Amino acid sequence: MSDKIPEGNRSARERLAQQREREKGREKRRRTLIVASAVVGVLALAAVVGLIAANAGKDDGGDTASGPAVAPSGAIGEDALTLPVGAADAPSTLTIWEDFRCPVCAQFETAFRDTITELADDGQVKVEYHLATIIDGNLGGTGSLRAANAAACAQDAGKFAAYHDVLFANQPPEPDDAYGKNSRLIELAGEVEGLDTPGFRSCVEDGEHDSWVKKSDTAFREGGFQGTPTVLLNGESVFPGKGDEQISPENLKKWVAAANKGKKPGTATPSAPADGSSAPADPSSVPAS
């Protein structure tokens, strides 16, 4: 009996094998698309939630700033409402508006902290943080305000970036106003080397920068922004996307590279805080808001 496969059967088997390979390829692409869509979906949902939170807090009246707005050491920009991290002469600027109670902001930080740290460390971007308190207005409580004041106190000590990361890493559930307790904010300062000092504690407990935080929140509401986080690259919104592309660590790096083409990286270090303490030589704790 011949062991040769008839030509017709051979062709059929080859076609079947080719079909299986095509199906494997489609399945692989489908799984890749599902994973990518899931990431984009989370960020898109985050943007919607941020928008809802921002709009919900607009008409509640809220607290108005009282007393002089005491800006933290090293704050820059109009009305000194910007907390800078990274080389001041970096060719691009990444502007981030955040609320420490905002779960969307925490998701953004988790996804992009390493990328933004890398870009800042390499002198590709300077990061300019702005603080808002929309969750307090939306859900009630004072956690957004109290945490932002504590972050400003950390800025006085030259440790804003590190404390900023700790606050988002330990963020309570959105309805939980745990950050409304100064004791919790001081407890978390223990995770940043050298931050838990009598000066920091006094700054937090006295609400030294409360009026400044409220002024920053007013600037956010009057700036026409849609929610937190608001992320701008050289003034152009890149969250949840830029043009037809969704934000991702890879795309953010690509957008920065395109903006910086032909430009030298920054090398200047931030100025030391007015109280004489040393600011970090490099933004090793910069997130990714």
Side-chain angles (χ1 to χ4, degrees):
M1 185 175 180
S2 174
D3 60 357
K4 293 184 179 180
I5 301 173
E7 187 63 30
N9 290 346
R10 185 189 302 275
S11 298
R13 290 185 181 183
E14 290 175 349
R15 288 196 299 271
L16 181 59
Q18 292 170 356
Q19 177 65 22
R20 286 175 177 170
E21 288 300 316
R22 286 194 293 269
E23 289 176 354
K24 287 180 181 179
R26 283 196 294 268
E27 178 62 18
K28 182 177 180 180
R29 290 192 295 272
R30 187 182 71 84
R31 288 196 301 268
T32 301
L33 181 60
I34 289 173
V35 172
S37 298
V39 173
V40 171
V42 167
L43 293 174
L45 176 60
V48 172
V49 173
L51 172 60
I52 293 171
N55 289 336
K58 282 183 178 178
D59 299 324
D60 76 320
D63 294 331
T64 56
S66 58
V70 180
S73 299
I76 63 173
E78 185 176 357
D79 295 327
L81 296 178
T82 301
L83 301 181
V85 175
D89 59 345
S92 285
T93 301
L94 193 66
T95 303
I96 303 176
W97 286 86
E98 292 180 313
D99 180 331
F100 287 111
R101 284 183 72 187
C102 164
V104 181
C105 299
Q107 292 172 8
F108 174 79
E109 288 296 329
T110 298
F112 291 91
R113 179 179 292 114
D114 292 344
T115 301
I116 296 178
T117 297
E118 179 182 340
L119 291 169
D121 284 350
D122 291 346
Q124 298 302 312
V125 298
K126 56 179 175 289
V127 189
E128 297 188 344
Y129 289 98
H130 298 262
L131 306 181
T133 62
I134 61 175
I135 305 300
D136 285 357
N138 183 29
L139 297 181
T142 60
S144 299
L145 172 62
R146 299 264 50 78
N149 172 69
C153 295
Q155 169 69 16
D156 286 335
K159 298 181 183 295
F160 166 78
Y163 189 61
H164 162 282
D165 289 357
V166 167
L167 288 176
F168 277 119
N170 292 275
Q171 185 188 73
E174 188 177 12
D176 182 353
D177 195 32
Y179 282 174
K181 298 178 180 179
N182 288 332
S183 58
R184 176 56 175 159
L185 298 168
I186 291 172
E187 177 187 6
L188 289 174
E191 298 188 19
V192 178
E193 184 178 359
L195 179 57
D196 187 5
T197 64
F200 174 81
R201 289 187 174 218
S202 176
C203 180
V204 171
E205 291 170 347
D206 293 345
E208 184 172 328
H209 299 298
D210 281 1
S211 292
W212 176 84
V213 172
K214 293 172 183 176
K215 191 171 185 179
S216 179
D217 183 66
T218 297
F220 172 79
R221 296 179 188 279
E222 293 178 350
F225 303 117
Q226 298 301 306
T228 54
T230 288
V231 185
L232 311 173
L233 177 60
N234 297 326
E236 180 182 3
S237 176
V238 294
F239 183 88
K242 178 178 180 290
D244 295 330
E245 295 182 293
Q246 294 289 337
I247 192 171
S248 68
E250 293 74 18
N251 279 343
L252 182 57
K253 288 181 180 180
K254 181 181 71 173
W255 299 335
V256 169
N260 292 353
K261 187 175 181 180
K263 301 176 183 178
K264 294 181 179 179
T267 58
T269 56
S271 301
D275 65 0
S277 58
S278 298
D282 60 78
S284 59
S285 301
V286 180
S289 159

